[in-house]
Amino acid sequence: MQQASQLMVDKRTLKQIIRELKRWKAPATVLLTLYIPPGRPISDVVSLLRTEYSITDNIKLKRTRDAVQRALAAAMDRLTRIQKVPPNGLAVFCGEDMETKDFICFVFSPPEPVPVFFYRTDKWFHTEFLEEMIEQEETYGLVIIERDQATIGLLKGTRIQVLEELEGYVPGKHHKGGQSQRRFDRQIEQFVKGFYREVAEAMNKHFLPLIEKGVLRAIILGGPGYAKQDFLEEARDFLDYRVRQKIASKTVDVAYQGEAGLRELVIKAADIIEQNKYAELAKAVEEFKLHLAKDDGLAVYGDKMVKTALEMGALKYIIVDEERPDADTLAEEAKKYGTKVYFLSGDLPEAEWIRKTFKGLVGVLHFRIM
């Protein structure tokens, strides 16, 4: 029998599981998803799956029938080894790739309680309940605003996500002068106000659900020149009061739109975000690059060099790819020596460089050891 402690996964492991599950797709409804909330007897669930198994005999296509039955059989086999549903419940994902015949079956207890009983076989795994748990991470809304362009995004942990990019139509300058000029200027301002209203409504749409869940810490507003303050004044009546309350009092000068602009916004807003993980990771990578360029002996990389420095207590911090099989082991070992650990996020521009060049493991020393 499996114990509850053996089934528990933390949020970082959950991210990896979700990423893997999202890769799986099927031409027929053969991928099994099962969520079991706390307190639900295992025997009841297994009984339900046995009933479902008997019903699958009615599936006409043998290939589909075999795949569904294989998933159900694997889920029942795994569940019968568990004596009791853990305090946070269980999540079960079993299914095969009908082309390659590859098969997976994940059974685990998530880091937060499973909210509902849910069973389905589909063309994909249903990870939405798990994704809501990931959203409980430290989350910030990001907005870059200009008179005719805007980017709305999120910062969750160390990950930056573009939610929406908007463009407005604002005519160029009019040069006739007199009343015609003043009338044209008023028209331009109306176009700008209309665009600001569109941005405000998009912010309400994206941020209100996160505020209602209690996961949005603040909204960081950035952009060039005076557009930021103009937006706050003109869009005040269109922003939901709860969204307005989340906007940080300090705004940030940002030169770009899109994902590049959001990265710039996060780094420049480090004091607002208070030790945010992405800003910390970005600074750590910059420090590693600086020592590497200076060749001063403080930048270390490669398993052997990093582990030797770690055992000597000489490491200030390590940056480790979260997808490395030994990432958790390295993190636990580092903590024993008081070494800070940063998990490498794919959203960081240098992530692929560190993975390919240094096999996803680098560090910076307190002092030279060679």
Side-chain angles (χ1 to χ4, degrees):
M1 289 287 184
Q2 279 189 284
Q3 300 298 316
S5 58
Q6 296 174 315
L7 298 165
M8 289 289 293
V9 300
D10 58 23
K11 286 195 175 185
R12 198 175 66 78
T13 304
L14 182 59
K15 284 183 188 178
Q16 296 172 345
I17 292 173
I18 291 173
R19 196 158 48 237
E20 172 63 22
L21 291 172
K22 281 181 169 292
R23 294 193 183 109
W24 287 72
K25 297 289 184 289
T29 56
V30 300
L31 300 179
L32 180 150
T33 301
L34 174 64
Y35 290 94
I36 308 171
R40 189 85 175 223
I42 290 282
S43 58
D44 288 358
V45 180
V46 173
S47 178
L48 168 69
L49 296 183
R50 286 199 183 105
T51 302
E52 289 294 321
Y53 190 96
S54 65
I55 294 172
T56 60
D57 286 334
N58 298 321
I59 298 174
K60 293 180 180 179
L61 290 174
K62 183 179 185 301
R63 190 178 176 197
T64 302
R65 182 173 64 248
D66 288 349
V68 174
Q69 290 182 342
R70 186 181 180 191
L72 283 163
M76 287 188 287
D77 177 64
R78 293 290 300 276
L79 287 174
T80 53
R81 302 183 209 169
I82 301 169
Q83 190 171 17
K84 184 180 178 182
V85 173
N88 282 353
L90 286 168
V92 181
F93 301 90
C94 297
E96 74 171 48
D97 184 319
M98 294 178 70
E99 298 300 323
T100 65
K101 298 299 181 183
D102 290 339
F103 188 83
I104 63 166
C105 193
F106 288 158
V107 180
F108 59 89
S109 182
E112 294 180 13
V114 172
V116 294
F117 182 82
F118 179 94
Y119 164 75
R120 189 169 299 174
T121 53
D122 217 325
K123 294 180 180 180
W124 60 89
F125 290 119
H126 286 265
T127 59
E128 52 265 35
F129 298 112
L130 299 179
E131 290 175 60
E132 288 178 5
M133 296 177 189
I134 298 288
E135 285 182 357
Q136 300 301 319
E137 281 190 328
E138 188 175 83
T139 303
Y140 292 84
L142 307 173
V143 180
I144 302 171
I145 185 73
E146 296 182 57
R147 286 165 65 89
D148 59 354
Q149 281 185 291
T151 303
I152 298 175
L154 279 183
L155 174 66
K156 289 196 273 186
T158 62
R159 298 182 182 279
I160 289 176
Q161 177 185 1
V162 177
L163 297 177
E164 189 171 351
E165 294 182 80
L166 301 97
E167 286 190 15
Y169 171 70
V170 178
K173 292 292 184 181
H174 183 69
H175 300 290
K176 289 186 177 180
Q179 291 184 349
S180 177
Q181 175 67 51
R182 288 192 293 274
R183 184 169 60 251
F184 193 75
D185 287 344
R186 285 196 299 272
Q187 289 174 344
I188 289 176
E189 290 308 310
Q190 288 304 314
F191 278 115
V192 173
K193 288 180 183 179
F195 178 64
Y196 285 166
R197 177 175 184 168
E198 183 184 349
V199 175
E201 290 171 348
M203 289 172 64
N204 291 340
K205 177 183 71 175
H206 290 296
F207 296 146
L208 274 177
L210 297 173
I211 292 172
E212 288 168 354
K213 288 180 183 177
V215 300
L216 191 72
R217 291 197 59 182
I219 298 170
I220 314 299
L221 189 65
Y226 297 103
K228 303 179 290 295
Q229 294 305 323
D230 290 344
F231 170 74
L232 288 174
E233 292 173 13
E234 298 292 347
R236 180 176 180 82
D237 294 337
F238 306 118
L239 285 167
D240 185 282
Y241 74 95
R242 291 165 292 179
V243 173
R244 286 203 311 269
Q245 289 173 349
K246 287 290 183 180
I247 298 175
S249 58
K250 180 181 176 182
T251 59
V252 180
D253 289 329
V254 176
Y256 304 100
Q257 289 284 343
E259 187 176 351
L262 293 181
R263 286 201 297 267
E264 182 186 4
L265 176 61
V266 167
I267 292 170
K268 287 187 174 180
D271 56 332
I272 303 173
I273 297 173
E274 307 170 347
Q275 306 298 313
N276 176 266
K277 294 175 186 175
Y278 183 93
E280 280 192 1
L281 175 60
K283 286 182 179 178
V285 170
E286 287 302 314
E287 185 180 358
F288 169 75
K289 286 163 61 180
L290 176 63
H291 289 304
L292 193 67
K294 289 167 66 176
D295 194 23
D296 57 10
L298 294 180
V300 293
Y301 47 85
D303 287 45
K304 186 175 180 181
M305 190 183 296
V306 169
K307 288 174 182 177
T308 298
L310 187 61
E311 291 167 0
M312 294 175 66
L315 268 175
K316 180 179 177 182
Y317 61 79
I318 60 170
I319 302 169
V320 57
D321 180 7
E322 62 185 9
E323 295 187 8
R324 278 181 61 119
D326 64 348
D328 287 326
T329 304
L330 281 167
E332 289 302 316
E333 191 69 16
K335 287 174 186 175
K336 293 178 185 176
Y337 293 97
T339 299
K340 191 167 181 60
V341 179
Y342 296 101
F343 288 105
L344 188 64
S345 163
D347 294 321
L348 204 71
E350 296 89 350
E352 198 60 24
W353 171 66
I354 291 176
R355 284 176 179 141
K356 287 185 175 180
T357 309
F358 306 107
K359 297 183 180 178
L361 182 61
V362 300
V364 168
L365 298 169
H366 286 297
F367 47 85
R368 291 186 60 165
I369 58 176
M370 295 180 67

